[in-house]
Amino acid sequence: MKKITLIFMALLVTCFAWQGTAQTVTGSNLTLTAIPDNDPAGVTNTVAIAGIPAVSNITDVELDMDIEHTWVGDVSITLTAPTGDAITVVNRPGRTGGVGAGDSSDYATGFPITFTDASVNDAEQMGDTILGGDSVCEDDGICDYFTNPDEVGGIASFADFATAINASGLDPNGNWSVLVQDEAAGDTGDFFIPELRVTYMVIPLSGVCATDNPQAVDDFTSVTSVVTLANPGVIGAMTNQNTFEEALVQLQHDRAADLVMTLTSPAGTVLELSSNNGGADGLDAQANVLFVDGQPNVTTWTGAPVDAAGYEAEGGSLMATFAGEPVAGDWTLTILDGGLGEEGDLFEFCLTINNNGVVGTPPTISCPADITITTDDDGAGDCTAAVSFADAAAIDAEDGPIPTTQMAG
């Protein structure tokens, strides 16, 4: 079998430049939390992260920490994703290889520290340029650092951290944990988390995608997007068979229930994909609404996040609706925003139709040889004989239909 979905990977890279635009979701925890002195168990706060689509890759992470604590060399900070993957962003700076008391500079509240791969400053060297008792960021003007786990080893950068999260295959949405440990006596403090930023890119699903996106979805207006296919054959035919696998609509909108979506085939058949479903919740991030036969009907969609398994179109099966129609031509998605005050953007529209080639060997039809029938008088005086052909009308297209009964006298 030959899949003729036309994945066009090069086209996705060159034509859909916007696909490379990363999306970032943020969270914070402003609860001021005391750091227990000389307690290796430390204390944990969580930051809720939501809105990362199921078909995404994490590309970057950044963490802002606002800490009040004397002696930065006492403090270690570890970030753990909901997938269970963890990164030590700083480990008692100045205490290289587990030796020494660490740096004697302080953290000062109101001067948050950003941990990011984009920094040129090594977290292990934090406080090196100022005296003991002076404060990092406040007194040295250095307020960002790249991660350095020192003797802990393991994941050394946020890029590696992102790779581990993606490899887990687990959902990165949920509570991200920030563990702060004070591992020496005599110095105390507290902290809160101004912001955690998680950056991702949506992975486009296999298929042929429209080239007219992204575009705005505004109040009381309709937008259309067109996928042009050149697949041979028709949907569901026994020869040159095409199977309609899925229709993908990738969008963001403040109120999903405002939207009415339809799909129109090149032959003009209209299938209602979704009409005012999704509830009052918005699609806060770039979300995939996937229409697949055999899944729960989209009327069961009550709000974000979108079910990654997809939904059957409200109007019924893709295969059944478009059966017998040619694949080639313009397939048009129409989205109507029927509400006031909430708007959004259509990022992508893709169709996946598999061409399975010729199924079996088409039959060869030929005319039968001439037949001579001897009539027989059965006593009724009619001198007839009957000759029957199966589907006689289809046997001889050149000479015309062959009658099911021939008479001879």
Side-chain angles (χ1 to χ4, degrees):
M1 295 194 303
K2 180 180 180 183
K3 185 174 183 178
I4 200 165
T5 310
L6 305 180
I7 297 178
F8 285 160
M9 292 305 293
L11 183 63
L12 287 171
V13 172
T14 57
C15 294
F16 304 138
W18 67 268
Q19 284 277 12
T21 302
Q23 308 288 317
T24 301
V25 292
T26 64
S28 63
N29 188 330
L30 305 182
T31 302
L32 188 64
T33 302
I35 303 170
D37 186 35
N38 196 23
D39 183 358
V43 62
T44 298
N45 265 352
T46 59
V47 177
I49 291 294
I52 302 173
V55 284
S56 302
N57 272 338
I58 306 300
T59 60
D60 195 19
V61 178
E62 293 184 341
L63 175 65
D64 294 343
M65 295 289 295
D66 195 311
I67 309 176
E68 177 80 26
H69 197 282
T70 52
W71 208 287
V72 298
D74 285 3
V75 179
S76 297
I77 303 171
T78 301
L79 175 65
T80 303
T83 60
D85 300 287
I87 179 173
T88 299
V89 297
V90 63
N91 180 36
R92 302 188 64 182
R95 188 175 180 268
T96 306
V99 178
D103 193 274
S104 59
S105 303
D106 299 339
Y107 289 110
T109 190
F111 294 89
I113 305 297
T114 296
F115 295 98
T116 170
D117 283 354
S119 177
V120 298
N121 305 303
D122 187 346
E124 173 58 28
Q125 306 303 318
M126 185 182 295
D128 273 7
T129 63
I130 53 179
L131 300 174
D134 288 342
S135 296
V136 172
C137 184
E138 180 181 17
D139 293 316
D140 61 10
I142 304 174
C143 304
D144 59 83
Y145 295 89
F146 63 82
T147 61
N148 191 331
D150 190 23
E151 73 270 19
V152 174
I155 294 174
S157 69
F158 283 124
D160 292 341
F161 186 40
T163 298
I165 293 170
N166 297 331
S168 74
L170 301 176
D171 188 358
N173 293 290
N175 287 329
W176 293 58
S177 301
V178 178
L179 169 66
V180 179
Q181 298 162 284
D182 177 343
E183 299 183 68
D187 296 276
T188 58
D190 47 43
F191 76 99
F192 65 93
I193 307 164
E195 192 168 81
L196 170 66
R197 294 175 291 279
V198 181
T199 302
Y200 66 90
M201 289 178 60
V202 173
I203 305 169
L205 300 180
S206 298
V208 181
C209 299
T211 59
D212 50 14
N213 295 308
Q215 54 183 312
V217 180
D218 297 326
D219 291 339
F220 299 116
T221 60
S222 292
V223 297
T224 60
S225 183
V226 178
V227 167
T228 301
L229 298 178
N231 301 36
V234 299
I235 302 294
M238 284 306 297
T239 59
N240 210 13
Q241 185 181 47
N242 289 275
T243 304
F244 207 132
E245 299 289 350
E246 61 192 27
L248 168 70
V249 180
Q250 192 179 90
L251 50 78
Q252 176 275 324
H253 197 276
D254 297 327
R255 182 182 170 89
D258 285 356
L259 303 178
V260 176
M261 294 181 275
T262 61
L263 177 62
T264 304
S265 70
T269 301
V270 179
L271 172 63
E272 185 179 47
L273 296 176
S274 177
S275 180
N276 305 118
N277 297 300
D281 290 341
L283 301 171
D284 296 328
Q286 190 172 321
N288 288 320
V289 185
L290 188 63
F291 296 96
V292 183
D293 289 352
Q295 296 299 317
N297 194 278
V298 72
T299 55
T300 63
W301 173 28
T302 57
V306 177
D307 182 0
Y311 302 98
E312 184 160 280
E314 185 165 349
S317 162
L318 294 165
M319 282 288 289
T321 300
F322 300 116
E325 295 191 11
V327 177
D330 291 342
W331 293 80
T332 303
L333 169 73
T334 302
I335 300 180
L336 169 66
D337 182 343
L340 177 64
E342 292 86 17
E343 299 179 340
D345 295 281
L346 171 63
F347 291 100
E348 187 64 288
F349 164 48
C350 303
L351 298 177
T352 300
I353 297 178
N354 290 341
N355 182 271
N356 301 308
V358 175
V359 180
T361 302
T364 300
I365 299 175
S366 59
C367 295
D370 292 341
I371 301 174
T372 301
I373 300 295
T374 302
T375 59
D376 180 32
D377 185 355
D378 59 2
D382 51 14
C383 300
T384 63
V387 180
S388 297
F389 298 90
D391 196 11
I395 292 179
D396 193 344
E398 181 179 350
D399 297 330
I402 299 174
T404 57
T405 303
Q406 294 183 345
M407 301 292 295

